[in-house]
């Protein structure tokens, strides 16, 4: 194959590519390779590789030279080419050597941005969990199948882990969850989270919680709402309750908007 034809093929190559003779002269290269190695030169063809690979390109030259001397191929070797982060392959061809350089700077930058975003989301999540455990509102989060995946500290104070360990049909009896009359157990299909998982938003329903943990009947305001995945499907539901009874004389009254702010924060994280 003539070098003119080879140069035409290299021009369409996706990555920076050089063709070297056995005495380390550049027989052909594409524009991507020239830009990475010596953008100040108009052409690299005919030049000896060691003459132009000094300083910042010394590691590049040493890797290529070592491969050519040993006869062993180099695969996915990491190196810096100026400001570019690259990986390189060196392989023996038919009477020449082929060096292929992949500029992965953009990929690494995108990966870094992704990891940074994930770290920021994780930090936000931890802050949110701290907030959820610190407010005087009971928060319960369920997955799309109705399984309980989170109960905050305030809710645990009154229902413990009874809700998490119970089957759906047993939750009301295990928790002591009654309708506003304090006599009728809350039926499964009437429970806020189950309704939210079907797309309904439940706001301000009166309930009574009476179980062995509290040793008294508590009047509640019960609320629930669905949250969605990126495709718009219901990914789970959040239920939040606050007491209509004061827990003690010094307890601050619970503001309904306090729970709304927290739930909105959770929805925003889910949407992101």
């Amino acid at each position: 194959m003539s070098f003119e034809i080879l140069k035409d093929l290299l021009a369409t190559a996706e990555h920076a590519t050089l063709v070297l003779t056995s005495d380390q002269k550049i027989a052909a290269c594409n524009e991507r390779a020239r830009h990475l190695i010596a953008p100040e030169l108009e052409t690299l063809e005919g030049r000896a590789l060691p003459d132009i690979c000094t300083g910042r390109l010394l590691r590049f030259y040493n890797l290529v030279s070592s491969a050519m001397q040993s006869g062993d191929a180099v695969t996915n070797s990491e190196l810096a080419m100026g400001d570019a982060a690259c990986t390189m392959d060196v392989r023996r061809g038919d009477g020449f050597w082929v060096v292929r350089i992949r500029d992965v700077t953009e990929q690494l930058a995108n990966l870094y941005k992704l990891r940074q975003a994930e770290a920021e989301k994780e930090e936000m999540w931890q802050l949110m969990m701290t907030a959820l455990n610190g407010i005087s509102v009971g928060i319960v989060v369920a997955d799309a199948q109705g399984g309980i995946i989170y109960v905050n500290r305030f809710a645990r104070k009154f229902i413990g882990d009874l809700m998490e360990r119970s089957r759906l049909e047993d939750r009301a009896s295990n928790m002591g969850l009654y309708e506003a009359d304090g006599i009728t157990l809350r039926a499964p299909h009437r429970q806020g989270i189950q309704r939210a998982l079907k797309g309904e938003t439940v706001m301000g329903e009166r309930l009574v919680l009476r179980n062995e943990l509290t040793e008294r009947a508590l009047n509640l305001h019960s609320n629930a709402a669905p949250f969605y995945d990126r495709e718009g499907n219901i990914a789970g539901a959040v239920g939040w309750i606050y007491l209509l009874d004061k827990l003690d004389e010094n307890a601050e009254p619970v503001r309904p908007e306090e729970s709304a702010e927290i739930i909105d924060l959770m929805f925003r994280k889910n949407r992101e």
Side-chain angles (χ1 to χ4, degrees):
M1 180 185 295
S2 72
F3 281 121
E4 289 302 319
I5 296 176
L6 186 58
K7 288 169 65 175
D8 288 341
L9 291 175
L10 291 181
T12 62
E14 180 182 358
H15 302 292
T17 307
L18 301 94
V19 176
L20 304 177
T21 61
S22 58
D23 59 354
Q24 298 187 356
K25 286 187 177 180
I26 301 172
C29 74
N30 59 9
E31 273 298 299
R32 293 175 183 270
R34 186 189 69 81
H35 181 75
L36 279 175
I37 296 173
E40 70 280 3
L41 299 176
E42 292 185 4
T43 180
L44 300 184
E45 279 84 357
R47 296 177 180 271
L49 193 63
D51 292 343
I52 57 176
C53 291
T54 58
R56 65 183 181 86
L57 296 175
L58 191 58
R59 171 171 162 76
F60 165 70
Y61 171 71
N62 288 337
L63 286 169
V64 174
S65 180
S66 176
M68 294 179 69
Q69 290 174 15
S70 66
D72 297 328
V74 171
T75 304
N76 287 328
S77 180
E78 297 179 355
L79 73 160
M81 303 284 286
D83 294 330
C86 304
T87 62
M88 181 181 70
D89 296 343
V90 182
R91 300 180 185 277
R92 183 195 293 274
D94 185 11
F96 49 82
W97 287 80
V98 178
V99 180
R100 182 174 289 108
I101 308 166
R102 299 175 179 83
D103 185 345
V104 295
T105 307
E106 184 176 354
Q107 292 174 258
L108 292 176
N110 289 338
L111 179 61
Y112 172 78
K113 290 177 182 176
L114 178 62
R115 289 179 176 173
Q116 188 177 40
E118 289 174 348
E120 289 173 355
K121 283 188 177 182
E122 179 61 27
E123 182 179 3
M124 175 60 74
W125 180 255
Q126 293 303 325
L127 288 172
M128 189 172 68
M129 289 300 100
T130 300
L132 290 177
N133 278 323
I135 65 173
S136 51
V137 175
I139 306 289
V140 177
V141 183
D143 60 24
Q145 288 71 47
I148 304 302
I149 57 177
Y150 176 76
V151 179
N152 78 337
R153 187 176 296 127
F154 186 87
R156 286 184 186 279
K157 186 174 184 179
F158 301 105
I159 64 175
D161 59 357
L162 295 173
M163 193 171 190
E164 291 176 284
R165 295 189 308 181
S166 300
R167 295 181 303 169
L168 172 61
E169 56 269 27
D170 298 330
R171 281 178 188 163
S173 58
N174 287 350
M175 291 165 46
L177 189 64
Y178 294 85
E179 299 285 357
D181 60 13
I183 300 173
T184 308
L185 276 172
R186 188 75 158 178
H189 72 276
R190 290 267 299 147
Q191 293 173 23
I193 282 182
Q194 294 308 117
R195 290 158 62 186
L197 289 174
K198 295 179 180 178
E200 184 180 350
T201 297
V202 180
M203 296 297 293
E205 289 199 341
R206 294 284 294 270
L207 294 175
V208 173
L209 184 67
R210 188 175 69 243
N211 60 38
E212 295 180 359
L213 292 175
T214 62
E215 296 183 348
R216 62 175 177 146
L218 300 172
N219 294 312
L220 310 175
H221 253 167
S222 175
N223 313 270
F227 59 95
Y228 300 85
D229 60 23
R230 292 178 179 176
E231 286 71 43
N233 301 312
I234 293 178
V238 182
W240 67 104
I241 59 172
Y242 57 94
L243 304 183
L244 299 178
D245 309 65
K246 283 191 175 181
L247 299 179
D248 58 59
E249 291 301 321
N250 298 319
E252 295 182 3
V254 177
R255 297 179 295 109
E257 60 268 24
E258 183 181 27
S259 60
E261 291 168 1
I262 296 299
I263 298 306
D264 184 62
L265 178 60
M266 181 170 284
F267 287 169
R268 286 204 304 272
K269 173 181 172 56
N270 179 261
R271 287 196 296 269
E272 293 169 357

